[in-house]
Amino acid sequence: MDGTEGSAGHPGPAERSHRSSVSSVGARAADVLVYLADDTVVPLAVDNLPSLSAHELHRAIREVLQLPDIALDIFALWLVSPLLEVQLKPKHQPYKLGRQWPELLLRFTDAPGDDVATDEPSLQFRRNVFFPKRRELQIHDEEVLRLLYEEAKGNVLAARYPCDVEDCEALGALVCRVQLGPFQPGQPTACTLREKLGSFLPAHLCKRGHGLFAALWGRGAKAGTSEQGLLNAYRKVQEAVSGDSEREASLRTHYRAYLTKCHELPYYGCAFFHGEVDKPAQSFVHRGGRKPVTVAISLEGVHVIDNREKHVLLGLRFQELSWDHTSPEEEESVLWLEFDGNNEGTPVNKLLKIYSKQAELMSSLIEYCIELNQASEPAAPPESASSSSPPPTQRPQLRRQGSVVCSRIQHLSTIDYVEEGAPVGNLGPFLG
């Protein structure tokens, strides 16, 4: 697709209302509005906007924000609306893509014609999908860390990054520290948290009657265990000790702590896509229908997330899957994922069918991520007689039983088959 990096899906953190990034357009000059992760606006006065590239706009933003050169790799420009979001390549021209927006919506969304006609994208400065998580640990610039923190926080609060309650408490405690300052014993923190609950926890955990912070809504009620967990986590937030000024050192430390915690989430830094999967059939005569899902793709793999339940249905590293997509010309647009599994104890190949008009984008992104991973892998050392033992492998991270990040294959309807003599889980397209 000309004009996209292959990253599209539902917009994230604050559902963006229709808003334009170009306030006035002419042959020579225009005022461009670029939105940051915290919803602040960077106005840019530019010449010859129709031919201006994303790379040139990126450079102008970096100059205004006084960001270091590494920001060129960390961030990218995105076109975002309530219907579609697209990461731009440096060579692309945002103005021209904005003019083509209705065509992109018709091609990659199921939006009705009235919505297509009124939808208008905004230009946003976001994390680059292809920036490795490991490189984030090397960042020291406070403003860069702040922008990454704000974007990650927005994705957590919008439940784009599903988290267990314990992780929500830990992340919420760091937000408390950034926004409210160090924990002060004896202060009425419960009242403060009640007033700003949506700033610390995802909305689906803030609803009354859910259990989390439920005690806060009843006068004189005993504090709930989840509330106490957040307060305990807030109390335990470590303060920075540094030669820098106290404020700069502490905020930088807490931004990095938040990001490091988010790195434990397998879908951190993903591009998000909209799709549907088949529900398991309830009986031989009653089909299960479909459920909406979000497909999260990053340099590490693919995760299928249940939109309603806010948990992972399937998580696969690239070495664990094969994939292909069918184009709309052939039939309904579908992304196919193949992976190893079992059916009543018998090893089988499983096929998951993801219905989405963005299947082509997802397939292209998977292929490109694999290419980047292969290009970044160090060359294997030559074999020697003395190297008889295999190299140590990193142990997989332990997950809580029932964690939202664990796969729930039993909630999916897959096609299971056994093919004699055929390799299972080979990397690359498996159809055709």
Side-chain angles (χ1 to χ4, degrees):
M1 168 188 170
D2 183 24
T4 69
E5 191 75 63
S7 305
H10 284 309
E15 287 295 325
R16 315 281 186 184
S17 59
H18 299 306
R19 62 189 185 188
S20 175
S21 279
V22 180
S23 58
S24 62
V25 179
R28 300 293 300 173
D31 293 328
V32 180
L33 304 179
V34 180
Y35 294 83
L36 303 181
D38 59 359
D39 239 9
T40 58
V41 180
V42 178
L44 299 174
V46 299
D47 294 325
N48 201 18
L49 176 62
S51 63
L52 201 65
S53 69
H55 177 75
E56 292 168 316
L57 274 177
H58 197 291
R59 180 176 58 200
I61 297 167
R62 298 199 314 272
E63 291 176 354
V64 171
L65 298 179
Q66 298 182 338
L67 299 178
D69 292 341
I70 188 63
L72 178 63
D73 297 329
I74 300 172
F75 300 104
L77 284 173
W78 294 67
L79 282 177
V80 178
S81 83
L83 301 179
L84 182 68
E85 56 186 34
V86 176
Q87 177 174 318
L88 306 184
K89 294 180 180 179
K91 66 180 181 180
H92 292 144
Q93 298 169 325
Y95 176 79
K96 291 184 178 179
L97 282 180
R99 296 292 296 269
Q100 298 171 6
W101 198 248
E103 301 172 23
L104 300 181
L105 295 180
L106 291 173
R107 183 177 178 184
F108 295 114
T109 76
D110 294 310
D114 290 345
D115 290 345
V116 170
T118 57
D119 191 63
E120 190 171 6
S122 63
L123 197 60
Q124 299 188 16
F125 193 67
R126 290 189 180 182
R127 188 186 189 280
N128 180 0
V129 171
F130 306 115
F131 187 73
K133 288 194 299 188
R134 66 180 183 275
R135 292 185 62 190
E136 281 193 4
L137 301 177
Q138 304 168 8
I139 298 172
H140 299 285
D141 185 87
E142 181 175 342
E143 181 61 13
V144 171
L145 290 171
R146 187 190 71 83
L147 291 173
L148 291 171
Y149 156 81
E150 291 287 353
E151 183 170 346
K153 181 185 70 173
N155 283 325
V156 170
L157 295 180
R160 296 185 100 190
Y161 293 166
C163 299
D164 295 326
V165 173
E166 297 90 338
D167 293 330
C168 287
E169 293 171 354
L171 292 169
L174 289 167
V175 178
C176 290
R177 172 59 187 86
V178 170
Q179 295 186 4
L180 306 178
F183 181 85
Q184 299 294 335
Q187 294 295 324
T189 55
C191 295
T192 305
L193 294 178
R194 185 199 312 185
E195 295 168 359
K196 299 182 178 181
L197 197 56
S199 299
F200 308 132
L201 295 171
H204 67 282
L205 296 183
C206 298
K207 295 178 181 178
R208 300 186 185 186
H210 188 281
L212 188 61
F213 280 86
L216 287 177
W217 303 107
R219 296 181 179 177
K222 183 179 179 180
T225 57
S226 295
E227 171 204 344
Q228 193 60 48
L230 178 59
L231 293 177
N232 289 339
Y234 183 14
R235 184 182 298 111
K236 294 176 182 177
V237 171
Q238 296 294 320
E239 295 302 320
V241 178
S242 173
D244 299 333
S245 70
E246 181 178 351
R247 178 190 176 279
E248 291 178 353
S250 62
L251 287 181
R252 186 164 56 242
T253 298
H254 301 314
Y255 294 152
R256 183 177 285 108
Y258 193 97
L259 294 172
T260 301
K261 185 66 178 176
C262 285
H263 286 187
E264 298 175 9
L265 303 172
Y267 24 77
Y268 173 77
C270 284
F272 295 94
F273 302 82
H274 172 70
E276 293 181 326
V277 297
D278 292 316
K279 297 179 181 179
Q282 298 179 6
S283 66
F284 290 109
V285 296
H286 186 262
R287 301 187 64 181
R290 296 181 183 177
K291 70 169 65 178
V293 296
T294 296
V295 182
I297 302 175
S298 72
L299 290 173
E300 298 185 5
V302 180
H303 287 78
V304 181
I305 300 171
D306 190 312
N307 287 356
R308 182 175 181 272
E309 300 298 333
K310 312 298 183 187
H311 60 212
V312 171
L313 296 171
L314 178 66
L316 296 169
R317 294 173 296 175
F318 289 126
Q319 57 266 38
E320 297 173 326
L321 65 85
S322 302
W323 87 99
D324 203 353
H325 78 280
T326 52
S327 63
E329 292 77 14
E330 301 171 9
E331 53 181 275
E332 188 174 4
S333 185
V334 170
L335 177 72
W336 297 86
L337 298 180
E338 181 192 40
F339 55 98
D340 295 349
N342 71 82
N343 189 335
E344 297 181 353
T346 302
V348 297
N349 291 8
K350 285 182 173 287
L351 284 176
L352 177 64
K353 193 175 185 180
I354 303 175
Y355 306 90
S356 175
K357 292 189 73 173
Q358 297 167 4
E360 176 187 351
L361 297 178
M362 289 187 275
S363 179
S364 297
L365 181 56
I366 291 172
E367 183 173 12
Y368 188 59
C369 286
I370 291 173
E371 291 176 356
L372 288 178
N373 287 335
Q374 291 175 340
S376 64
E377 289 177 357
E383 295 184 2
S384 63
S386 60
S387 59
S388 57
S389 59
T393 57
Q394 184 178 3
R395 296 181 61 185
Q397 183 179 359
L398 296 178
R399 300 294 185 188
R400 303 181 186 94
Q401 186 175 4
S403 170
V404 296
V405 305
C406 295
S407 294
R408 293 163 173 78
I409 300 176
Q410 70 275 16
H411 295 172
L412 294 171
S413 176
T414 59
I415 302 170
D416 298 351
Y417 71 96
V418 177
E419 187 174 353
E420 291 294 333
V424 177
N426 57 302
L427 191 62
F430 62 89
L431 296 178

